[in-house]
C-alpha cells in the first residue's frame, strides 16, 4: 500500500511520525540494489567444485637480514681483495728477524710467530720493529707468542720469568693469577704482540718432566678451568687475545708430539675429564683455541692427528661434549712443521692444506721457508674446488675480526 501512494479520493492526516515512516518506506522501495559479484568462472554449478589454475599464495615481502655486528662488518670491509690474499691470511709463520717478518707479511701472511730464535731487536729495537712492520705493510696482522709461564715463555729476557701454571694454582688465588697475567700482557702489548698461545687447559697429574706436566694448572677440570679463565682474563685486560690449548686434551696423551706420535685415551674418556674445562671457559672467556696433534681413538679416522682430523674440528664447532657450546672463534693448529707427530707424515705445504681442509682457521708453523709453496697449494685447491671458497672466506673473516682488535672480556 505504501509503495502505491495514498488514495486520491481523500487526503490523509499526516503526523510527523507517519511522515517519517512513509519517507523511509519510499526510500526502501526506490533504492538501487547492490550488484551481485560475478560468478567465479572456475566454479562449476553442477558439481559444486572448482576447476582451473590454483590461486597463487600471498608471498610476504622478504625480511631483510639483521645488520652484521660492527666488528664483523669492519672485518668484512678489510678482507683481502683476492683469493690468494684470503688464502695467505690463514697462515701464521715463525720469523727470524725484521727482514724475514717483512717477507712473510708481503706474501700476505695473516700473522707472525715470535720464537726463542727470533732476533729480540724485532721486539725492543728503536726501528725495524713491530711498529715499523705495521707501517710498512699498512694492514692488520697478528703477532703471536708462547707465554704460558714456567718452562714455556719465549723471549724470557724481555717478558720475564713466571711461575709454572701448576705453581700458580697451588700458591696463588685466581685474582692474583689474573693480575700476574695482566702484567705479562702489558709487556707483550708494549712490544707489539697481540696473541698469546696460553693458557693451557689440559688436565694432568703427570710429573713436571712430562710433555704437559706443570704446564697444566690442575688435574681437576673445575680448578683448571677456574685458573685458566683468570689467566685469560688478565691477558684480555691488557689487550691480548688468549688461545686455549691443546684441544681436545693433551694431558693424558702418551709421549710428546714434538718427537713422536701421541695417543690419548678414547674419546669417551676425554669427555669424562679432558674436555670438561672447555665448556665453562669458552662460555665465559672469549679467546681462540689451539688444536693439538694427538691421535684420539674413536674420533674420526683412526690414526689421524687431531690437527688433520675433521671430526675434531666438528666437535669443537658443535660443542658436542659435556658443558660445551658451539664455538665460532678462531681455531689455530699447533706447529705443523717442527713437530714429528705431523712432519713425519707430510711436508709443511701438505700439512697446511690438510689442516685447513679439516677445519682449522689458521695454519701455524715455525719457518717462512715453505710459505709461498703453502699459499700456492691452498690457492690451487680453492680454484680446483677441493677447498670450498665459502669455507675460505668464513675462516678469513674470523681471522680478520681477531686481527682488528681483541675480543671484549
Amino acid at each position: 500500500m505504501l509503495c502505491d501512494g495514498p488514495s486520491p479520493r481523500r487526503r490523509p492526516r499526516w503526523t510527523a511520525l507517519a511522515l517519517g515512516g512513509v519517507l523511509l518506506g519510499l526510500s526502501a522501495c526506490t533504492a538501487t540494489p547492490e550488484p551481485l559479484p560475478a560468478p567465479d568462472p572456475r566454479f562449476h554449478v553442477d558439481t559444486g567444485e572448482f576447476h582451473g589454475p590454483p590461486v597463487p599464495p600471498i608471498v610476504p615481502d622478504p625480511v631483510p637480514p639483521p645488520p652484521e655486528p660492527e666488528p664483523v662488518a669492519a672485518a668484512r670491509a678489510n678482507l683481502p681483495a683476492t683469493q690468494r690474499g684470503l688464502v695467505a691470511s690463514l697462515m701464521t709463520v715463525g720469523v727470524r728477524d725484521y727482514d724475514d717478518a717483512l717477507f712473510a707479511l708481503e706474501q700476505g701472511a695473516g700473522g707472525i710467530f715470535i720464537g726463542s730464535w727470533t732476533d729480540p731487536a724485532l721486539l725492543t729495537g728503536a726501528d725495524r720493529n713491530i711498529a715499523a712492520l705495521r707501517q710498512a705493510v699498512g694492514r692488520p696482522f697478528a703477532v703471536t707468542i708462547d707465554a704460558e709461564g714456567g718452562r714455556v715463555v719465549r723471549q724470557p729476557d724481555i717478558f720475564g720469568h713466571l711461575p709454572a701454571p701448576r705453581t700458580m694454582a697451588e700458591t696463588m688465588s685466581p685474582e692474583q693469577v689474573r693480575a700476574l697475567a695482566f702484567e705479562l700482557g702489558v709487556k707483550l702489548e708494549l712490544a707489539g704482540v697481540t696473541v698469546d698461545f696460553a693458557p693451557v687447559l689440559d688436565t694432568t697429574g703427570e710429573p713436571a718432566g712430562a710433555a704437559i706436566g706443570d704446564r697444566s694448572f690442575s688435574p681437576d677440570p673445575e680448578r683448571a678451568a677456574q685458573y685458566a679463565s683468570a689467566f685469560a682474563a688478565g691477558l684480555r685486560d691488557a689487550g691480548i687475545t688468549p688461545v686455549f690449548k691443546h684441544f681436545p686434551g693433551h694431558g693424558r696423551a702418551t709421549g710428546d708430539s714434538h718427537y713422536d706420535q701421541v695417543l690419548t685415551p678414547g674419546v669417551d674418556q676425554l669427555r669424562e675429564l679432558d674436555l670438561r674445562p672447555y665448556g665453562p671457559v669458552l662460555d665465559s672467556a672469549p679467546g681462540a683455541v689451539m688444536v693439538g696433534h694427538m691421535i684420539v681413538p674413536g674420533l674420526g679416522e683412526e690414526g689421524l692427528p687431531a690437527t688433520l682430523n675433521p671430526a675434531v674440528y666438528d666437535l669443537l664447532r658443535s660443542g658436542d661434549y659435556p658443558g660445551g657450546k658451539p664455538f665460532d672463534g678462531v681455531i689455530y693448529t699447533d706447529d705443523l712443521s717442527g713437530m714429528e707427530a705431523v712432519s713425519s707424515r707430510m711436508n709443511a705445504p701438505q700439512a697446511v692444506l690438510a689442516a685447513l681442509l679439516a677445519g682449522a682457521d689458521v695454519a701455524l708453523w715455525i719457518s717462512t721457508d715453505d710459505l709461498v709453496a703453502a699459499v700456492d697449494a691452498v690457492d690451487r685447491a680453492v680454484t680446483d674446488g677441493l677447498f670450498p671458497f665459502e669455507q675460505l672466506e668464513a675462516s678469513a673473516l674470523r681471522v680478520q675480526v681477531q686481527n682488528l682488535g681483541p675480543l671484549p672480556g
Side-chain angles (χ1 to χ4, degrees):
M1 185 66 176
L2 285 176
C3 290
D4 294 334
S7 172
R9 295 182 181 178
R10 63 187 180 123
R11 192 182 188 90
R13 293 182 179 179
W14 300 109
T15 64
L17 183 59
L19 179 61
V22 171
L23 293 176
L24 181 60
L26 289 173
S27 174
C29 292
T30 59
T32 302
E34 291 288 333
L36 293 173
D40 190 325
R42 299 172 303 149
F43 182 70
H44 289 224
V45 177
D46 296 337
T47 63
E49 297 178 348
F50 280 91
H51 298 277
V55 177
I58 298 175
V59 179
D61 292 336
V63 178
E68 288 184 319
E70 185 175 342
V72 177
R76 190 178 298 280
N78 280 276
L79 285 177
T82 66
Q83 175 179 295
R84 187 178 180 83
L86 291 172
V87 167
S89 74
L90 308 189
M91 303 186 186
T92 292
V93 291
V95 296
R96 297 184 301 273
D97 51 26
Y98 179 89
D99 292 325
D100 199 31
L102 183 60
F103 165 78
L105 296 170
E106 287 176 340
Q107 305 311 306
I112 59 174
F113 175 71
I114 305 299
S116 56
W117 60 88
T118 304
D119 182 359
L122 183 59
L123 302 169
T124 60
D127 55 7
R128 292 171 58 84
N129 54 20
I130 300 296
L133 284 174
R134 296 195 185 285
Q135 185 172 6
V137 176
R139 62 173 174 84
F141 58 87
V143 180
T144 67
I145 198 168
D146 275 325
E148 304 169 5
R151 52 197 163 110
V152 182
V153 177
R154 310 300 177 192
Q155 303 288 339
D157 291 341
I158 299 174
F159 302 118
H161 297 269
L162 283 72
R166 181 65 55 87
T167 302
M168 293 184 203
E170 291 175 345
T171 63
M172 303 169 70
S173 69
E175 293 75 20
Q176 288 172 320
V177 169
R178 180 170 184 167
L180 181 67
F182 173 72
E183 293 177 7
L184 169 65
V186 169
K187 294 176 183 178
L188 295 173
E189 197 276 336
L190 288 174
V193 175
T194 63
V195 176
D196 185 6
F197 294 137
V200 169
L201 271 184
D202 299 321
T203 55
T204 177
E206 296 173 354
I212 299 300
D214 63 353
R215 296 169 65 190
S216 162
F217 284 100
S218 175
D220 175 70
E222 283 74 24
R223 189 171 178 83
Q226 180 185 30
Y227 275 87
S229 294
F231 192 94
L235 291 176
R236 288 197 310 274
D237 292 343
I240 303 297
T241 297
V243 180
F244 303 101
K245 61 187 185 184
H246 306 81
F247 190 88
H250 199 306
R252 295 187 290 166
T254 58
D256 186 336
S257 54
H258 289 85
Y259 308 111
D260 201 356
Q261 304 291 330
V262 297
L263 189 69
T264 72
V267 64
D268 291 339
Q269 291 178 269
L270 292 188
R271 291 177 186 275
E272 293 174 1
L273 177 65
D274 305 73
L275 282 163
R276 282 173 57 189
Y278 283 91
V281 168
L282 296 182
D283 186 39
S284 60
V289 173
M290 176 180 284
V291 172
H293 295 315
M294 309 79 64
I295 295 170
V296 184
L299 186 59
E301 181 181 334
E302 290 296 324
L304 197 61
T307 40
L308 312 180
N309 188 343
V312 172
Y313 296 97
D314 290 343
L315 181 66
L316 178 54
R317 290 291 185 210
S318 68
D320 185 22
Y321 51 87
K325 291 186 177 180
F327 178 72
D328 194 39
V330 174
I331 303 178
Y332 285 87
T333 70
D334 208 338
D335 170 26
L336 293 170
S337 67
M339 302 177 75
E340 289 293 325
V342 169
S343 61
S344 63
R345 292 170 169 266
M346 56 187 70
N347 61 33
Q350 292 169 334
V352 168
L353 176 58
L356 294 176
L357 280 171
D361 294 313
V362 179
L364 168 70
W365 72 103
I366 58 174
S367 169
T368 61
D369 293 347
D370 292 310
L371 176 58
V372 173
V375 175
D376 287 343
V378 179
D379 188 41
R380 185 165 52 250
V382 177
T383 298
D384 293 345
L386 176 63
F387 187 176
F389 183 84
E390 295 77 11
Q391 181 181 345
L392 166 65
E393 189 176 47
S395 288
L397 188 60
R398 292 189 192 100
V399 171
Q400 194 65 233
V401 168
Q402 178 178 282
N403 287 353
L404 285 174
L407 295 167

